[in-house]
Amino acid sequence: MVDKVGNITDNPTGRQVERQTGISSASSNCLKGIFAICVLIHHLYQGSGLLHDTVIGGVLQAFGYLSVACFFFLSGYGLYASYQIKGRYYIKTFCRKKIIPFYEVMCLFIAIYFLANTIYGQNISIWVLIKSLTFGGTIIGNGWYLQVQLVLYLLFYITFRYAKEDRAIPCIIGECMSMCIILYLCGFESTWYEGIMAFPLGMVWCRYQDKLNFLKKGRITFSVAITAFMFVCTCFGLSRILPNEIISVICKSMSAVIFPIVVVVIVSWISIENNVTCILGRYSMEIYTLQGLFLSMFHQPLINIENPYMYVLMVMIFVGIGAVITHPITSRIYSSARRK
């Protein structure tokens, strides 16, 4: 189990593990809630037309890919922390308790979007449905993240099941790099792969957390956070001005991978757990997945909100309501998998 400050204290299998993971489960959920809202703000900026061509708008534009990179980092971190606690038992039950319920939840939201598109009078082709259920595109607004995350879950399961323990993380790093290259060569937008390398970075960070405890000292924490943040800003700026597409994508990917380090270092120094972030964390999956539905709903011919402030308000309200309604269903799917 993981205690309040992120220390792994014991193991359900009886194996004692004396090390610090650095990020507790509660902190991780709070971060997911915060970044789900950041992604929503990013898409509201794009859909409302507010603050375009401003410095603040540029910051909001960066919110999206940086937040998703943090999702990947926290995912890799959490998976490896759980593996360290439960060992091979975690891998044996990973498909049943993680991959299958995640896919079921994804199918649930595909059904919701399909119903909504049918109501809007939009025809969904069989090919689009096939891609939604597999890979390469989905009717879920910004649902590419779910498909990439599912692939990363599969890579984690296969690698840790069949590779030797000391080679598993290097294998994951190589597989993620290969995945980025394949997606680029297949013509996918950079959004699909620019933050993927944050996934193995989360594992590496968890693996060597004991050696990183010095970052919890105030002055060092501040220095590392500022240095990493300046690196992120520099790489993001270069990605916007460099003419070469490949170098631009690499710079943007580097900023995406380093940004979670800024976040983790700050969180190791400042607590983010409170009632608001805990609530957001509880509904982070639903907030992220449903926002595309309402972002498009209020720009439909039947309901077209032209006032940008009213548009932002209505999207936020309906995303919140939708998250509260669907959360019990997604929770039931996961709890049912755990009971089995």
Side-chain angles (χ1 to χ4, degrees), residues 128-248:
V128 171
L129 281 177
I130 292 173
K131 288 201 298 182
S132 298
L133 294 168
T134 52
F135 191 83
T138 175
I139 61 174
I140 298 176
N142 309 301
W144 64 267
Y145 165 77
L146 302 178
Q147 294 187 330
V148 172
Q149 183 64 72
L150 182 62
V151 172
L152 293 177
Y153 280 158
L154 291 168
L155 290 177
F156 174 84
Y157 169 72
I158 294 170
T159 302
F160 278 82
R161 183 173 179 85
Y162 297 106
K164 293 182 178 180
E165 186 171 353
D166 59 339
R167 297 181 182 177
I169 290 181
C171 286
I172 288 288
I173 294 173
E175 290 161 2
C176 287
M177 291 182 65
S178 300
M179 183 176 175
C180 293
I181 294 171
I182 291 171
L183 290 174
Y184 173 78
L185 294 176
C186 289
F188 283 80
E189 294 182 7
S190 63
T191 307
W192 282 73
Y193 51 83
E194 58 198 9
I196 286 178
M197 293 308 298
F199 180 75
L201 176 63
M203 295 183 184
V204 173
W205 194 273
C206 181
R207 173 68 179 85
Y208 296 103
Q209 184 64 47
D210 286 342
K211 295 180 171 39
L212 299 171
N213 284 334
F214 69 92
L215 294 175
K216 294 184 178 181
K217 298 178 181 179
R219 185 177 298 178
I220 296 177
T221 300
F222 181 78
S223 300
V224 172
I226 291 297
T227 302
F229 182 72
M230 293 303 296
F231 181 84
V232 170
C233 293
T234 301
C235 289
F236 175 69
L238 290 173
S239 72
R240 305 272 291 193
I241 62 175
L242 290 174
N244 186 280
E245 181 185 2
I246 295 178
I247 298 177
S248 176

Side-chain angles (χ1 to χ4, degrees), residues 32-107:
K32 289 176 183 177
I34 292 170
F35 290 120
I37 293 298
C38 287
V39 172
L40 176 58
I41 292 173
H42 162 76
H43 289 133
L44 285 171
Y45 156 76
Q46 292 182 325
S48 66
L50 292 171
L51 301 173
H52 281 199
D53 300 322
T54 66
V55 174
I56 297 176
V59 174
L60 297 180
Q61 179 64 24
F63 266 22
Y65 83 97
L66 293 177
S67 297
V68 172
C70 288
F71 282 134
F72 286 134
F73 179 92
L74 292 171
S75 176
Y77 188 103
L79 292 180
Y80 193 77
S82 297
Y83 172 74
Q84 287 188 311
I85 298 171
K86 302 177 183 178
R88 301 301 299 177
Y89 173 78
Y90 183 65
I91 301 302
K92 289 179 180 178
T93 61
F94 191 77
C95 273
R96 173 165 50 87
K97 293 185 177 182
K98 196 74 173 179
I99 295 178
I100 292 176
F102 183 85
Y103 187 73
E104 289 175 347
V105 169
M106 193 170 76
C107 289

